[in-house]
Every structure is written in C-alpha cells, then in structure tokens.
Amino acid sequence: MAMASERIWTAALLVIGDEILSGRTQDKNIAQIAQWLNVQGIRLGEVRVVGDREEAIVEAVNALRGRNDYLFTTGGIGPTHDDITVDAIAVALDVGVVHHPRAMEALEAYYATRGGLNDARARMARVPAGADLIENRLSGAPGIRWGNVFIMAGVPHITAGMLDALTGTLEGGRPVVSRTIGCWVAESEVADLLRVTEKAHAGVAIGSYPFFREGRVGANFVARSPDEALVDACIADLSRELEASGRQVVADGI
C-alpha cells in the first residue's frame, strides 16, 4: 500500500515599501523569515515586493493569502502618513480599522518616559478589526495577526523579535534540513550530475549556487529535505560522484 504524501505547509512574504523598490533600503527580512519558517516546518513558497499603494497591497494580500497557509507582510506599520499597510490590509479583509486596547496599553507604557503617546504614535495601535497582537519587546508597537495573515515590522531586528514571539505557535510539518558542499567547478559541467542525483533521491531538492572567486569559478550545492537521512544520503552520493570525476569536494561549502 503506497504511503500518503506528507503535508507541505507553505507561506508567502509580501514586502511593502517604496524604499525597497527604489533601492534606498536593502531588504534583509526575506532571508531571516525563510530560515525561521524552515525551522517551523513551513516552506516559503513566494515573495512579492510592492510599493506604498493601497490597490497593489490589497491585490497582493488577497492573492497570496488565498493560495498559501500563511502570509507574512513586512513594512508600512509605523507612525507616519505613508504607513498604509494596516489600512490596505483591512480593505483586503473587508473589515474596519480600530485601535487595539492592548496595543494602546503597550504603547502608553513604552512612551511614558519617551515624551508620551501622541496621535502619531497611537497610529501604531491601529489594527484590522478582529485582529490579535504579536508581541514586540523592543519598541512597544506590536505586530498583528488576522487569520492566516501576519503583519510585521520592516526593521529587521524588530521583525526578528516578533518571529521569536511566534516560535512554536504555527502548525507546520517537519523542519527542513539542509547540507552544503562546495566544489571548484563550473556549474554547467555538473548540471547533468545534479539532475540525475536529485532524481535518484526522491524528496530531496538540490540547489546550485555558482560564484567567481580567486580568479576561478566554483559552486556550492545545497541539498534540502525534511528527512535528514535522505539529505545525508544525497550529499554522500553527490560527493562521491564529484570526487570520482577528479574534483575536490569541500564540506559545508566554499
């Protein structure tokens, strides 16, 4: 009797902000959110970047939350007029915007010794009606959860704190395990070997990441799967085949 395929949990990330699209700010959240999701047993399946335009945010939110188990957004939840993420997501969800009482309490406590809570700062307590909060121990302004949508800060170290607060709270599968080897070889020279090896190890994905360094070309190869034994077997076979062709393999990558 064939075994049922394992449930794959997926997430999407929506990065919001004109500053990302203009190049003024380099996004650092994609990598840290992807790594955190892997540990939760959730795969980051797609990433979209949009500017501070309501119609773009609304369209992206509804598309991404509909075809993934979870949607994370970063950016646009600060105190200024151009922070429109909460309003746009409320439109996407077809709900109103309210000041969350616990968010107001957290902000009042945070700003008690920092000049007090004014109208601009109180904007950071606004949430789509019916939302829960994601704890933020660093700056007082919480993240927001509405259903399968998680609205988070754009500042990476604040996002990291919000992810920490969410750790272990989302349903997912087995954590994804990865192993890396490196080799001074042109990617094109081993493309067929990578394809054959991946095909021979069902359930393992092999990523190839070429580079040019020290005047020569090389590549790192990363095997990923929720099954650690499958990853180890795949890496062992790939290493053996590369060495059999006269190439030196570097454990953990170059």
Side-chain angles (χ1 to χ4, degrees), residues 50-243:
V50 299
D52 296 307
R53 293 185 299 110
E54 180 179 294
E55 63 273 19
I57 298 171
V58 170
E59 189 279 327
V61 166
N62 282 332
L64 296 174
R65 75 185 178 101
R67 61 174 176 252
N68 291 278
D69 296 298
Y70 305 107
L71 168 62
F72 290 79
T73 77
T74 59
I77 61 172
T80 60
H81 71 282
D82 59 343
D83 289 309
I84 65 169
T85 294
V86 168
D87 298 88
I89 292 179
V91 171
L93 301 174
D94 195 24
V95 298
V97 175
V98 299
H99 284 82
H100 197 291
R102 285 198 293 111
M104 289 293 289
E105 290 174 6
L107 289 166
E108 285 171 354
Y110 181 80
Y111 285 110
T113 58
R114 297 173 172 85
L117 183 63
N118 56 30
D119 288 344
R121 290 168 172 174
R123 281 179 54 82
M124 294 185 289
R126 299 167 74 250
V127 304
D132 295 318
L133 301 181
I134 303 170
E135 184 179 5
N136 172 14
R137 302 183 184 94
L138 296 177
S139 66
I144 304 162
R145 176 177 183 172
W146 197 100
N148 70 337
V149 180
F150 298 80
I151 307 167
M152 311 183 81
V155 180
H157 73 276
I158 296 178
T159 304
M162 292 179 179
L163 292 173
D164 184 61
L166 286 173
T167 295
T169 67
L170 305 187
E171 188 171 2
R174 286 184 292 170
V176 175
V177 175
S178 66
R179 298 281 186 272
T180 304
I181 58 174
C183 193
W184 292 104
V185 62
E187 182 184 40
S188 59
E189 295 179 17
V190 294
D192 287 342
L193 173 60
L194 297 176
R195 176 179 53 78
V196 170
T197 304
E198 183 178 78
K199 186 176 181 180
H201 294 81
V204 181
I206 300 177
S208 178
Y209 305 95
F211 58 82
F212 182 81
R213 199 180 304 158
E214 300 173 15
R216 52 182 176 160
V217 296
N220 287 312
F221 309 114
V222 182
R224 299 182 178 90
S225 173
D227 191 319
E228 185 173 8
L230 291 180
V231 170
D232 289 341
C234 179
I235 286 293
D237 285 354
L238 181 58
S239 297
R240 182 173 58 253
E241 292 298 327
L242 287 168
E243 290 171 345

